[in-house]
Amino acid sequence: MIWTERQSGTSEQRPNDTRTDFQRDKARILHSAAFRRLQAKTQVMYVGMHDFPRTRLTHSLEASQIGASLVVHLSNQNPDVASQLELSEPLLESLCLAHDIGHPPFGHGGEIALNYMMRNNGGFEGNGQTFRIVTQLEAYTPQHGMNLTRRTLMGLLKYPVLASRICQQKLPADVTNFRHLRTREWLPPKALYDDDSEQLNWVLQPLSDSDKKGFQELLQQPSGNTHGKSALKSIDASIMEAADDIAYGVHDLEDAIVVGLIQRHHWEDQMLSDLRQLEAELPNFNAKELTEDLFSGSHHRRKQAIGGLVNRLLTSAKLERTAYDFECPLLQYQVQLGEAEKILLNSLKQFIFNWVIRKPEMQAQEFKGQQIVMELFEVLAVEPERLLPENTRLRYMQQKQKGENALRVISDYLSGMTDGYAAKLYQELFSVSSPKSAFQ
């Protein structure tokens, strides 16, 4: 089957291995170094700020469980279409486990830092880096990364277009001091790197020319100072994105309440009136009751409320046919939550953004991480042969000798770091303390 083919052209199946192709993909992701590093990468709250909140790793595990549950729900709801699409729990688990492995240290601060430093060399974006890791960088194979099946790679394409096609037409002016960088001006385009066009072409190879063109249509064209946006994704990527959104909107809310970043009065001032408006549209939904359960101080009541929100959102999901006339079944459907549930989820996500992510103490940590990443990149780019570790240095020299984008290797190296490792390297390079204390 063409969608279970791998880039290497061989299955590499071990003797007596009875697992399905997607179960093997899941195992490769779970056992990868890139996945393990998620345990020390920021989700919403910075690693070390508290001992309770989720990291990128626990977020990915929760998204994986929700993704598998969505497959079960959709298969029960519409068995004929689900059978035609061959929806798979291990496939969705794989996608959700892998979807964040391209995110750099220090969350979006690190992402913006790398995008700025790579501004003249293809930029940086977390989803694009995920695709790069699984197709090339992870050391499962010499050339093809994890060598995942084509369908799994297709499911990881949240934005199936190249950056050059949607990047804003004019970049902002360079800064003379990293501390003067305006982050909103350097948000990356949501796309794949042009460096990885060969891998993208391989994934899309089974599609007809008309399907390929329709799949890569833009929802928004780029302008002088605004990036364009891709319009579509496959059914698997659509389910994965829904699982990711639910995990972010609900579980990160739980974290913020437990550690005290969100107080009851914040919730009542900003959310209660909106939630009350949804009561008529959501069965058995009571905004005041939800508030009591979340903020009563009872762990049991809060946990039940969080689980109830996840269940409400998940079970509202349905398969909807796209407006495009695609030949490939994987492009014919998208997952949509119910209209009222969609409003509920968007309200939760916006609330988290306003009252957690945008808090000054959170932004201060993001700013600090952003400075660390930019300064590390700068010094490594000046003397890569001197400061890069051996394997990375060899990759850098090979790229340079071939006349290819050698700075991408430095970007790969930095983006793979955990928050703690990046901070440690920064201290080793720039701290005036003794070598011994630099490691403490």
Side-chain angles (χ1 to χ4, degrees):
M1 180 182 170
I2 199 163
W3 289 108
T4 53
E5 288 179 354
R6 301 179 186 274
Q7 284 179 283
S8 65
T10 59
S11 69
E12 303 159 358
Q13 191 154 357
R14 295 184 173 91
N16 305 315
D17 188 349
T18 57
R19 294 173 299 169
T20 67
D21 288 293
F22 299 138
Q23 287 171 332
R24 291 165 63 208
D25 281 355
K26 179 184 172 183
R28 292 180 186 191
I29 293 162
L30 272 171
H31 293 288
S32 68
F35 181 74
R36 289 196 303 277
R37 289 190 188 104
L38 294 178
Q39 67 186 304
K41 287 192 178 187
T42 294
Q43 168 59 12
V44 169
M45 276 163 265
Y46 281 81
V47 176
M49 286 181 77
H50 300 278
D51 65 356
F52 173 84
R54 289 152 172 92
T55 62
R56 290 266 179 198
L57 180 70
T58 55
H59 162 76
S60 298
L61 291 169
E62 287 172 337
S64 175
Q65 183 268 323
I66 294 170
S69 298
L70 278 166
V71 169
V72 173
H73 166 72
L74 294 168
S75 298
N76 288 334
Q77 183 191 67
N78 202 329
D80 292 339
V81 174
S83 176
Q84 177 199 356
L85 298 173
E86 297 183 66
L87 296 184
S88 159
E89 290 178 59
L91 169 59
L92 258 297
E93 288 171 334
S94 297
L95 298 180
C96 294
L97 291 172
H99 81 283
D100 266 354
I101 60 175
H103 280 264
F106 308 112
H108 291 294
E111 184 177 46
I112 288 166
L114 285 174
N115 186 48
Y116 175 73
M117 300 308 290
M118 290 292 290
R119 61 196 179 279
N120 298 317
N121 293 276
F124 179 89
E125 198 273 331
N127 297 286
Q129 190 68 19
T130 293
F131 184 73
R132 184 169 172 80
I133 289 169
V134 297
T135 57
Q136 295 173 74
L137 301 181
E138 187 64 37
Y140 191 90
T141 64
Q143 292 179 305
H144 303 298
M146 295 186 197
N147 199 31
L148 304 177
T149 60
R150 183 184 263 116
R151 179 160 176 177
T152 297
L153 295 178
M154 179 87 151
L156 287 171
L157 298 179
K158 283 180 71 173
Y159 313 104
V161 295
L162 296 177
S164 59
R165 192 170 162 217
I166 66 164
C167 189
Q168 64 190 65
Q169 294 159 356
K170 185 179 179 183
L171 291 178
D174 293 356
V175 295
T176 54
N177 186 315
F178 290 151
R179 295 180 185 180
H180 298 164
L181 188 76
R182 295 180 180 274
T183 55
R184 298 299 300 175
E185 292 182 355
W186 290 98
L187 295 172
K190 299 293 186 182
L192 303 176
Y193 307 139
D194 286 57
D195 292 333
D196 303 333
S197 59
E198 183 181 332
Q199 286 72 30
L200 175 62
N201 290 338
W202 183 84
V203 175
L204 301 184
Q205 187 182 320
L207 301 180
S208 66
D209 289 343
S210 61
D211 272 11
K212 211 175 292 185
K213 183 179 178 184
F215 183 50
Q216 296 185 293
E217 275 195 13
L218 300 187
L219 181 66
Q220 175 183 303
Q221 294 291 333
S223 63
N225 59 0
T226 306
H227 299 310
K229 293 179 181 177
S230 61
L232 296 171
K233 49 184 68 68
S234 72
I235 179 58
D236 301 318
S238 175
I239 298 172
M240 178 262 284
E241 187 172 49
D244 183 26
D245 282 349
I246 292 170
Y248 164 69
V250 180
H251 289 304
D252 289 339
L253 169 68
E254 180 185 13
D255 281 358
I257 292 171
V258 170
V259 302
L261 279 172
I262 292 175
Q263 303 292 330
R264 183 172 183 144
H265 67 88
H266 295 140
W267 176 268
E268 290 178 339
D269 290 346
Q270 301 296 320
M271 284 291 287
L272 202 51
S273 62
D274 290 346
L275 294 178
R276 279 182 173 145
Q277 291 177 25
L278 290 172
E279 287 179 337
E281 302 175 64
L282 294 171
N284 303 315
F285 181 73
N286 186 298
K288 187 176 179 183
E289 216 172 86
L290 174 63
T291 302
E292 289 297 327
D293 289 341
L294 290 175
F295 294 95
S296 68
S298 164
H299 294 303
H300 169 73
R301 288 178 65 183
R302 185 179 60 248
K303 186 60 72 177
Q304 289 297 314
I306 291 295
L309 282 172
V310 171
N311 179 70
R312 181 179 294 279
L313 295 167
L314 192 157
T315 55
S316 77
K318 52 189 179 296
L319 291 166
E320 287 191 357
R321 188 145 186 137
T322 65
Y324 295 79
D325 188 22
F326 287 118
E327 299 167 37
C328 177
L330 299 182
L331 308 183
Q332 291 171 355
Y333 290 88
Q334 299 279 286
V335 164
Q336 296 290 344
L337 301 187
E339 288 305 313
E341 287 82 3
K342 203 182 297 182
I343 294 170
L344 172 61
L345 180 56
N346 288 336
S347 295
L348 292 172
K349 287 167 61 180
Q350 191 62 45
F351 183 72
I352 289 289
F353 181 78
N354 291 337
W355 289 96
V356 180
I357 294 174
R358 298 303 296 175
K359 277 204 166 191
E361 57 264 45
M362 304 298 289
Q363 288 300 303
Q365 291 296 317
E366 185 172 298
F367 175 81
K368 186 192 297 184
Q370 187 175 303
Q371 302 304 306
I372 288 172
V373 172
M374 287 191 287
E375 291 199 40
L376 286 175
F377 192 107
E378 183 180 52
V379 73
L380 291 173
V382 169
E383 291 201 276
E385 296 92 339
R386 181 183 181 191
L387 295 174
L388 289 174
E390 182 65 13
N391 286 341
T392 309
R393 185 182 67 81
L394 288 174
R395 281 187 56 231
Y396 177 89
M397 298 304 294
Q398 288 167 359
Q399 291 288 93
K400 194 173 180 181
Q401 286 165 8
K402 290 190 286 187
E404 296 179 358
N405 189 1
L407 286 180
R408 180 64 67 193
V409 176
I410 297 177
S411 174
D412 292 340
Y413 175 55
L414 286 171
S415 70
M417 293 179 181
T418 62
D419 296 14
Y421 188 87
K424 178 184 169 186
L425 180 60
Y426 180 89
Q427 188 181 38
E428 289 175 12
L429 291 174
F430 300 114
S431 174
V432 295
S433 58
S434 67
K436 181 180 178 182
S437 64
F439 285 89
Q440 291 176 348

